[in-house]
C-alpha cells in the first residue's frame, strides 16, 4: 500500500529579503521558519531545504541499513547516521556525505561496509537523489 506524506511552505516576499514557514502536515510535529539567509549563510535558528533533505536521507538510510542487516541475520544493536548536504548558491546541491556508525555483533568491517553500500544504493531517498554525488563513510563500532 502506497503512502503519501505532505509538507506545505508559505512564503512572503522576494527571495533575498522574504521569509517563509515549512509545516510538516502529515505528522503535525511542527512548523519551521526558513529564509534565504538560513539556506545560504548561517542557520540562525531556521531550517533549509537542504537540512530537511539531510533529515530525510539520514533516517531513510538508517532504516534501509537496519533492515538489510536484520535480513542477513545480523540485526544491529545501534545505528547512527549523519547526512551532510552541501548547497552552493547559484549551483545547487553539490554533494551529500552520509556518515554511519553502528554496532553489529558478528559482522566484520568488510561485511558492514558492503551492507552500508547496499543501503546507500537502495534507500528510497538515495534513489530520489541520484542527480548528486553521495559519498559514504561507514564505521563498525565494537
Amino acid at each position: 500500500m502506497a503512502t503519501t506524506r505532505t509538507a506545505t511552505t508559505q512564503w512572503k516576499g522576494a527571495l533575498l529579503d522574504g521569509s517563509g514557514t515549512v509545516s510538516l502536515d502529515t505528522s503535525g510535529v511542527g512548523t519551521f521558519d526558513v529564509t534565504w539567509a538560513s539556506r545560504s549563510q548561517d542557520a540562525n535558528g531556521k531550517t533549509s531545504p537542504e537540512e530537511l533533505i539531510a533529515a530525510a536521507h539520514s533516517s531513510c538510510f538508517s532504516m534501509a541499513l537496519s533492515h538489510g542487516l536484520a535480513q542477513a541475520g545480523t540485526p544491529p544493536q545501534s545505528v547512527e547516521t549523519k547526512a551532510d548536504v552541501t548547497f552552493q548558491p547559484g549551483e545547487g546541491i553539490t554533494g551529500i556525505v552520509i556518515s554511519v556508525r553502528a554496532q553489529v555483533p558478528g559482522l566484520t568491517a568488510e561485511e558492514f561496509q558492503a551492507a552500508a553500500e547496499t543501503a546507500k544504493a537502495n534507500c528510497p531517498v538515495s534513489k530520489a537523489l541520484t542527480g548528486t554525488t553521495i559519498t559514504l563513510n561507514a564505521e563498525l563500532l565494537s
Side-chain angles (χ1 to χ4, degrees), residues 3 39 43 49 54 62 82 87 91 93 116 123 129-130 137:
T3 59
R39 185 178 195 186
S62 289
K82 179 174 88 166
F87 173 75
E91 208 174 320
I93 294 174
C123 148
L129 298 172
T130 57
N137 299 319

Side-chain angles (χ1 to χ4, degrees), residues 57-58 60-69 79 81 98 100 111-127 134 136:
H57 206 174
S58 66
C60 183
F61 177 88
S62 289
M63 290 180 199
L65 178 59
S66 177
H67 180 66
L69 290 167
V79 175
T81 305
I98 297 173
V100 60
E111 291 167 329
F112 178 67
Q113 182 69 40
E117 291 289 347
T118 298
K120 177 186 139 194
N122 294 307
C123 148
V125 173
S126 289
K127 287 182 174 184
I134 302 171
L136 175 65

Side-chain angles (χ1 to χ4, degrees), residues 43-111:
N44 291 322
K46 297 173 179 71
T47 194
S48 69
E50 291 72 29
E51 184 177 36
L52 297 170
I53 289 170
H57 206 174
S58 66
S59 60
C60 183
F61 177 88
S62 289
M63 290 180 199
L65 178 59
S66 177
H67 180 66
L69 290 167
Q71 292 288 92
T74 54
Q77 287 182 340
S78 66
V79 175
E80 178 182 296
T81 305
K82 179 174 88 166
D84 295 307
V85 177
T86 301
F87 173 75
Q88 178 64 47
E91 208 174 320
I93 294 174
T94 58
I96 300 171
V97 176
I98 297 173
S99 299
V100 60
R101 298 168 37 137
Q103 289 183 311
V104 188
L107 212 61
T108 67
E110 294 79 21
E111 291 167 329

Side-chain angles (χ1 to χ4, degrees), residues 4-79:
T4 300
R5 301 295 184 249
T6 304
T8 303
T9 299
Q10 298 289 329
W11 187 267
K12 294 183 178 153
L15 174 63
L16 298 181
D17 62 356
S19 63
T21 57
V22 177
S23 64
L24 304 181
D25 300 340
T26 303
S27 65
V29 298
T31 299
F32 306 94
D33 294 331
V34 63
T35 64
W36 174 251
S38 68
R39 185 178 195 186
S40 62
Q41 299 166 26
D42 292 325
N44 291 322
K46 297 173 179 71
T47 194
S48 69
E50 291 72 29
E51 184 177 36
L52 297 170
I53 289 170
H57 206 174
S58 66
S59 60
C60 183
F61 177 88
S62 289
M63 290 180 199
L65 178 59
S66 177
H67 180 66
L69 290 167
Q71 292 288 92
T74 54
Q77 287 182 340
S78 66
V79 175

